[in-house]
């Protein structure tokens, strides 16, 4: 019988209760399961998104490759370029005379996916199976660079007002696109009250 086939926690019967008290109690629950490696990548993307300087969206991306396990390459978040102005000081460049200007190319920010690719210390295309976890579904501009850098799979956590054709574009060019969710990550999101787009009046 392999280790994975053995019933867990039977050893507790023969363990000093005082010793058991010093252990992580949640790991001694029958229903406990470790987070998957993809759960961890999802957490990384969410946590790094908190570095975003954008006043409207918090987006994080984690880049990793898969070969007998998951190995982290880089991450990125959205916001103004290094050395550019802080939107909290100067305001959002898309807001002109108090009114937001959509679709006019005024945004100072670089997207999380592009920053994760740019922060990667190696060319992602040199790996056979590079994947990306991103908090919001990529836009068309990011999708084109995802294809160019040889990224094979994109996992995303939330939708937002993207171009409707982007998923089909990625899949047509050989990139698998998957909305990622799990019981573990949903509990973690709910517990931390995280929402990258709406509910902006909630303290996060």
């Amino acid at each position: 019988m392999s280790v994975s086939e053995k019933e867990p926690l039977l050893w507790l019967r023969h363990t000093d209760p005082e010793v058991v008290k010093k252990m992580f109690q949640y790991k001694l629950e029958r229903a406990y399961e470790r987070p998957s490696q993809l759960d961890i990548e999802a957490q990384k993307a969410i946590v790094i998104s908190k570095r975003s300087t954008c006043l409207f969206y918090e987006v994080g991306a984690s880049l990793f490759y898969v070969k007998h396990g998951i190995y982290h390459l880089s991450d990125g978040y959205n916001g103004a370029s290094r050395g550019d102005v802080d939107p909290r000081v100067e305001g959002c460049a898309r807001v002109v005379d108090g009114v937001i200007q959509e679709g006019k190319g005024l945004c100072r920010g670089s997207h999380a996916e592009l920053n994760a690719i740019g922060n990667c210390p190696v060319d992602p295309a040199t790996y056979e199976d590079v994947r990306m976890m991103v908090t919001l579904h990529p836009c068309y501009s990011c999708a084109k660079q995802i294809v160019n850098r040889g990224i094979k799979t994109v996992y995303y956590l939330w939708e937002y007002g993207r171009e409707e054709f982007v998923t089909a574009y990625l899949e047509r060019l050989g990139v698998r696109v998957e909305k990622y969710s799990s019981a573990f990550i949903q509990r973690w999101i709910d517990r931390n009250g995280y929402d990258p787009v709406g509910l902006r009046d909630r303290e996060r």
Side-chain angles (χ1 to χ4, degrees):
M1 180 182 292
S2 69
V3 173
S4 61
E5 293 174 332
K6 292 182 179 178
E7 185 178 350
L9 304 179
L10 291 178
W11 50 270
L12 281 174
R13 302 173 188 170
H14 312 292
T15 306
D16 185 337
E18 293 304 312
V19 173
V20 173
K21 286 180 183 178
K22 297 177 181 179
M23 298 176 181
F24 287 108
Q25 297 304 299
Y26 72 94
K27 290 188 177 182
L28 304 179
E29 296 173 4
R30 288 285 176 184
Y32 169 73
E33 291 184 9
R34 287 195 305 163
S36 70
Q37 289 182 299
L38 283 178
D39 287 334
I40 300 304
E41 294 302 322
Q43 285 181 307
K44 287 177 185 176
I46 292 171
V47 171
I48 197 67
S49 78
K50 305 306 289 183
R51 288 280 297 163
S52 168
T53 62
C54 179
L55 301 176
F56 291 95
Y57 297 101
E58 290 181 338
V59 188
S62 175
L63 195 62
F64 55 96
Y65 74 96
V66 178
K67 187 174 183 180
H68 311 302
I70 284 179
Y71 300 90
H72 187 71
L73 290 172
S74 64
D75 47 49
Y77 53 87
N78 64 315
S81 299
R82 183 180 297 142
D84 202 347
V85 301
D86 183 343
R88 293 187 68 245
V89 175
E90 298 292 340
C92 175
R94 295 189 302 150
V95 177
V96 180
D97 296 327
V99 179
I100 192 162
Q101 306 292 315
E102 299 281 9
K104 296 186 178 180
L106 299 177
C107 178
R108 298 186 188 97
S110 177
H111 288 192
E113 300 94 318
L114 301 183
N115 288 332
I117 292 169
N119 291 338
C120 191
V122 296
D123 183 353
T126 60
Y127 290 89
E128 290 184 7
D129 190 0
V130 175
R131 306 183 189 187
M132 177 180 283
M133 179 74 72
V134 62
T135 54
L136 294 183
H137 190 293
C139 70
Y140 185 39
S141 293
C142 289
K144 288 182 281 187
Q145 290 306 309
I146 286 168
V147 171
N148 285 345
R149 299 320 318 144
I151 295 167
K152 304 299 185 187
T153 304
V154 172
Y155 304 97
Y156 68 97
L157 301 176
W158 287 277
E159 284 281 5
Y160 81 119
R162 63 182 173 89
E163 305 95 332
E164 291 299 322
F165 61 86
V166 175
T167 297
Y169 167 82
L170 285 167
E171 291 177 342
R172 179 171 62 83
L173 295 176
V175 180
R176 184 165 65 97
V177 181
E178 180 180 325
K179 189 175 191 304
Y180 185 74
S181 183
S182 72
F184 171 85
I185 204 67
Q186 193 56 56
R187 284 195 304 270
W188 189 77
I189 289 168
D190 292 343
R191 186 165 57 247
N192 288 282
Y194 184 80
D195 182 349
V197 179
L199 304 177
R200 294 189 180 94
D201 59 338
R202 183 195 303 183
E203 183 178 350
R204 296 193 291 277

